[in-house]
């Protein structure tokens, strides 16, 4: 009879070891992903994707729906960074899907404005009191900082603290690599522009001897 009774402690040990192995594997993969952004190979991959994205940006004659100027360059650089991450993180997936969400919201606003123009009904907007703002004021300082950090990292606005910290670590490493790649490209472009402008100048004749 005693042999038929299962021991909960011994039965819980395999589950505990499985969880430990899974956690260690996740931490190892995250460490490898963070170190990936520091490699020269990853920087070259991102630089090539960035050049492809910038070649598709039209700064001179933008369309009505496309962003203009520096905003277009910034969005192209962020999309290239998300593509280089291959959608393995929340922030990269959020960047890749943000453009589609903005497009759908704009179409929805345009349809609502068209319906309001046809029906002639316009609702007067009343000032709204944000309950979330009132709650955020009463939160402790640590929770407020976590909330701000979740807003800064794409796709982490409503995530728990462990996920926010993990995504923020990878996102910061990716941004540092982005800065290095864009600085290198800017130096190369400025150097080639100076060389081309110098070669275009006509040779100057020596001053006449007196």
């Amino acid at each position: 009879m005693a042999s038929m009774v299962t021991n909960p402690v011994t039965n819980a040990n395999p589950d505990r070891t499985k969880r430990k192995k899974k956690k260690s594997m996740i931490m190892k993969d995250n460490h490898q992903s963070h170190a990936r952004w520091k490699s020269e190979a990853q920087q070259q991959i991102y630089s090539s994707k960035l050049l492809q994205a910038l070649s598709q940006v039209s700064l001179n004659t933008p369309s009505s729906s496309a962003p203009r100027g520096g905003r277009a360059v910034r969005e192209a650089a962020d999309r290239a960074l998300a593509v280089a991450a291959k959608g393995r993180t929340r922030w990269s997936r959020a960047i890749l899907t943000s453009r589609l969400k903005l497009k759908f919201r704009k179409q929805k606003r345009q349809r609502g404005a068209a319906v309001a123009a046809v029906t002639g009904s316009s609702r007067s907007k009343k000032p709204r009191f944000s309950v979330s703002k009132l709650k955020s004021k009463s939160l402790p300082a640590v929770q407020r900082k976590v909330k701000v950090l979740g807003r800064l990292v794409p796709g982490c606005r409503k995530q728990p603290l462990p996920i926010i910290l993990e995504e923020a670590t990878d996102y910061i490493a990716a941004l540092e690599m982005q800065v290095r790649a864009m600085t290198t490209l800017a130096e190369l472009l400025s150097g080639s522009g100076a060389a081309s402008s110098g070669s275009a100048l006509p040779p100057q004749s020596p001053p006449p001897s007196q």
Side-chain angles (χ1 to χ4, degrees), residues 18-94:
K18 287 181 180 179
R19 287 196 296 268
K20 286 183 178 179
K21 287 182 179 180
K22 186 176 180 180
K23 186 176 180 180
S24 63
M25 290 176 64
I26 292 173
M27 291 177 65
K28 185 178 179 181
D29 293 339
N30 293 333
H31 178 71
Q32 291 177 354
S33 65
H34 300 162
R36 180 183 75 242
W37 298 114
K38 298 181 180 180
S39 63
E40 292 291 335
Q42 187 65 36
Q43 183 172 337
Q44 292 178 1
I45 293 172
Y46 172 70
S47 299
S48 63
K49 294 183 182 299
L50 178 60
L51 287 175
Q52 293 176 2
L54 291 177
S55 64
Q56 299 175 359
V57 175
S58 177
L59 298 179
N60 295 326
T61 58
S63 60
S64 58
S65 60
R68 299 183 178 183
R71 182 184 170 190
V73 175
R74 185 180 71 249
E75 289 187 1
D78 290 341
R79 284 198 306 273
L81 190 65
V83 171
K86 298 180 180 179
R88 296 175 180 172
T89 54
R90 290 179 180 271
W91 64 262
S92 61
R93 292 192 293 270

